[in-house]
């Protein structure tokens, strides 16, 4: 079943009526995306628990789902709330108001007209050595993603990996578009600096 079919009024009505087959289809289709979202905030085992708790909460609330957002947006918000509850239990909070002004860490790479001062290096990703380099870069990126602040990592996951639009992200996180853009810019900047450093030195 396609995502458009899952989000159709007829399918939503089946869910509201307690159709078990419809709910099973919903879980099958959206569980991987929700798990990926939870893993941007929690360790794998905790992420699994947050998603399971999220499905239980969603199942109990489906009869009251009003369709003001897509099912995916609604489910993602539920799972993120479950993840945040787990973080609070461990004495941690996620701050979605990026008030600290750290400037633009990439500004030195551009001229006043917006063009590169020093363009990124061009890679040739062919052959065993190049494949090894790609694997090393992936491990390095995984390491840096794990060290990234949760708010930046979550926005990066929702926008650049899952492809959600800004309206959906604002709805899910209940924050302003400007905050989303700042968090996304900072996350992308961190990754850009990582890749830039890796290209130049071959080190993580």
């Amino acid at each position: 079943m396609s995502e458009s079919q899952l989000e159709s009024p007829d399918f939503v009505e089946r869910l509201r009526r307690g159709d078990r087959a419809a709910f099973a289809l919903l879980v099958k289709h959206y569980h991987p995306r929700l798990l990926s979202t939870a893993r941007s905030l929690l360790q794998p085992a905790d992420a699994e628990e947050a998603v399971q708790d999220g499905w239980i909460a969603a199942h109990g609330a489906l009869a009251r789902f009003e369709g003001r957002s897509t099912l995916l947006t609604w489910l993602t918000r539920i799972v993120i709330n479950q993840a945040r509850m787990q973080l609070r239990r461990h004495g941690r909070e996620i701050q979605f108001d990026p008030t600290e002004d750290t400037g633009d860490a990439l500004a030195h790479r551009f001229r006043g007209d917006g063009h590169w001062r020093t363009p990124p290096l061009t890679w040739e990703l062919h052959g065993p050595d190049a494949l090894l380099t790609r694997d090393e870069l992936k491990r390095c990126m995984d390491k840096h993603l794990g060290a990234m602040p949760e708010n930046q990592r979550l926005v990066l996951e929702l926008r650049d990996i899952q492809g959600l639009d800004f309206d959906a992200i604002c709805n899910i996180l209940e924050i302003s578009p400007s905050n989303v853009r700042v968090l996304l810019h900072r996350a992308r900047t961190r990754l850009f600096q990582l890749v830039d450093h890796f290209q130049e030195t071959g080190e993580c």
Side-chain angles (χ1 to χ4, degrees):
M1 178 174 280
S2 68
E3 189 166 319
S4 61
Q5 290 174 309
L6 286 172
E7 297 287 352
S8 69
D10 289 344
F11 188 80
V12 171
E13 185 56 33
R14 287 176 60 190
L15 291 169
R16 287 200 190 101
R17 293 198 308 264
D19 187 321
R20 292 184 179 181
F23 188 73
L25 284 171
L26 189 72
V27 173
K28 179 180 179 181
H29 192 86
Y30 282 146
H31 187 84
R33 293 180 69 169
L34 296 175
L35 185 58
S36 181
T37 298
R39 283 178 173 171
S40 69
L41 298 173
L42 302 169
Q43 294 299 313
D46 293 334
E48 290 278 2
E49 181 181 344
V51 174
Q52 292 298 334
D53 290 345
W55 281 121
I56 292 169
H59 186 270
L62 272 169
R64 302 187 300 277
F65 177 68
E66 298 179 354
R68 295 180 181 176
S69 65
T70 66
L71 281 167
L72 178 59
T73 295
W74 181 69
L75 291 167
T76 303
R77 188 187 308 122
I78 290 173
V79 166
I80 288 173
N81 285 338
Q82 293 294 330
R84 293 172 82 172
M85 287 171 60
Q86 286 204 28
L87 289 171
R88 286 191 206 104
R89 286 198 293 269
H90 292 88
R92 296 164 60 194
E93 289 281 352
I94 306 175
Q95 175 57 257
F96 285 109
D97 180 14
T99 53
E100 180 188 0
D101 183 9
T102 57
D104 189 344
L106 299 180
H108 69 285
R109 296 299 303 271
F110 297 92
R111 299 197 301 264
D113 59 4
H115 290 88
W116 292 104
R117 291 186 188 277
T118 305
L121 300 176
T122 300
W123 284 6
E124 291 291 337
L125 293 179
H126 303 290
D129 290 343
L131 291 175
L132 180 60
T133 298
R134 185 172 63 187
D135 288 342
E136 290 172 349
L137 176 59
K138 182 181 183 303
R139 286 193 293 272
C140 193
M141 291 184 72
D142 288 343
K143 173 185 174 182
H144 282 262
L145 281 169
M148 188 179 291
E150 288 101 339
N151 55 5
Q152 295 177 24
R153 191 166 61 243
L154 178 57
V155 170
L156 188 74
E157 165 72 26
L158 295 176
R159 177 60 182 168
D160 286 353
I161 299 176
Q162 297 196 24
L164 297 184
D165 61 35
F166 280 96
D167 286 343
I169 297 171
C170 292
N171 192 352
I172 290 167
L173 301 181
E174 299 179 331
I175 61 176
S176 69
S178 62
N179 278 0
V180 172
R181 293 180 189 280
V182 169
L183 291 170
L184 182 62
H185 175 72
R186 291 181 181 173
R188 287 172 172 172
T189 296
R190 283 172 176 264
L191 288 185
F192 192 102
Q193 289 174 316
L194 159 66
V195 173
D196 200 27
H197 177 73
F198 192 88
Q199 285 178 321
E200 292 175 354
T201 68
E203 298 176 354
C204 185

